[in-house]
Amino acid sequence: NAGVTQTPKFRVLKTGQSMTLLCAQDMNHEYMYWYRQDPGMGLRLIHYSVGEGTTAKGEVPDGYNVSRLKKQNFLLGLESAAPSQTSVYFCASSPGTTVDTIYFGEGSWLTVV
Amino acid sequence: AQSVTQPDIHITVSEGASLELRCNYSYGATPYLFWYVQSPGQGLQLLLKYFSGDTLVQGIKGFEAEFKRSQSSFNLRKPSVHWSDAAEYFCAVGVGSSASKIIFGSGTRLSIRP
């Protein structure tokens, strides 16, 4: 029972490099989310999606892009990484048909040097 | 804009003592409210949620929360804490259509004094 799976779990990037974080869920959920967590800041919503082919901006979308080409996958891209993007990234999903619980992945630790 | 405020960054209580963690939200419509807990190095686990109906909701691990519309608050309580309750606690609000956008507070770190 995989739930929400994030890859990679750990990554070190150099400033200016690009990378993609992959989130996969096997619960047939409609809604998916990307958050970043920084000390003292809680979780801040980067982007979210309410269905395949749709995306929307959250609270802190700058410097990130997302895609939801398949219902089960939600990709978060960093085109040109900056040290300010050093953070722990959490993906989450929710059934979406009604207001309901969101289920989180285990997190991806990203360091930009 | 919608927001969630958790005014206490860090709280320490003695084991066996009662606990109340504060949460205030800002949202024009009826909110959907959640409390999550995060243990070190882990993801987030749902403690309880409020969508409608009885304003006192029960959750897992002996936690409860009360929705007070007049105060825009959703405080989390537990009558007697255990050492295993030490963790970070996050209040969240669902906004927009079907609460599709979930916004979190900055969290309250709970320490337990033996």
Side-chain angles (χ1 to χ4, degrees), chain A:
Chain A
N1 191 8
V4 179
T5 304
Q6 297 178 224
T7 53
K9 297 239 179 339
F10 301 93
R11 183 75 187 270
V12 178
L13 279 180
K14 293 183 179 179
T15 298
Q17 284 185 318
S18 64
M19 77 158 294
T20 300
L21 293 172
L22 170 64
C23 177
Q25 53 94 3
D26 61 2
M27 298 174 281
N28 200 35
H29 284 174
E30 290 293 331
Y31 295 174
M32 296 188 74
Y33 308 83
W34 275 108
Y35 291 89
R36 59 178 290 174
Q37 184 175 28
D38 304 289
M41 305 289 286
L43 283 88
R44 292 181 291 169
L45 182 63
I46 304 171
H47 287 280
Y48 65 109
S49 167
V50 298
E52 181 179 315
T54 74
T55 62
K57 293 181 179 179
E59 302 168 272
V60 289
D62 294 342
Y64 304 94
N65 56 75
V66 288
S67 64
R68 184 101 181 266
L69 299 179
K70 293 183 179 181
K71 185 177 184 179
Q72 63 268 32
N73 295 337
F74 195 30
L75 279 64
L76 178 71
L78 286 71
E79 289 188 348
S80 179
S84 61
Q85 294 178 304
T86 293
S87 188
V88 182
Y89 292 85
F90 285 96
C91 178
S93 71
S94 169
T97 51
T98 59
V99 175
D100 209 326
T101 307
I102 54 176
Y103 298 84
F104 283 85
E106 294 185 345
S108 295
W109 275 254
L110 175 64
T111 301
V112 183
V113 298

Side-chain angles (χ1 to χ4, degrees), chain B residues 9-91:
Chain B
I9 296 173
H10 183 204
I11 286 181
T12 300
V13 299
S14 298
E15 189 167 17
S18 63
L19 170 71
E20 182 169 28
L21 301 182
R22 296 183 290 167
C23 172
N24 293 96
Y25 66 89
S26 173
Y27 183 51
T30 300
Y32 300 97
L33 297 159
F34 309 83
W35 273 100
Y36 282 82
V37 60
Q38 184 182 34
S39 297
Q42 303 294 313
L44 280 79
Q45 180 184 22
L46 179 71
L47 285 176
L48 48 79
K49 57 191 177 186
Y50 170 79
F51 297 156
S52 64
D54 192 346
T55 56
L56 184 63
V57 294
Q58 303 297 320
I60 63 171
K61 304 184 180 185
F63 286 92
E64 66 177 28
E66 186 172 12
F67 170 58
K68 292 185 177 180
R69 185 186 299 275
S70 62
Q71 299 177 18
S72 298
S73 68
F74 189 56
N75 293 350
L76 181 72
R77 300 195 293 250
K78 187 169 185 178
S80 176
V81 299
H82 185 262
W83 65 267
S84 60
D85 292 325
E88 185 117 23
Y89 291 80
F90 293 95
C91 181

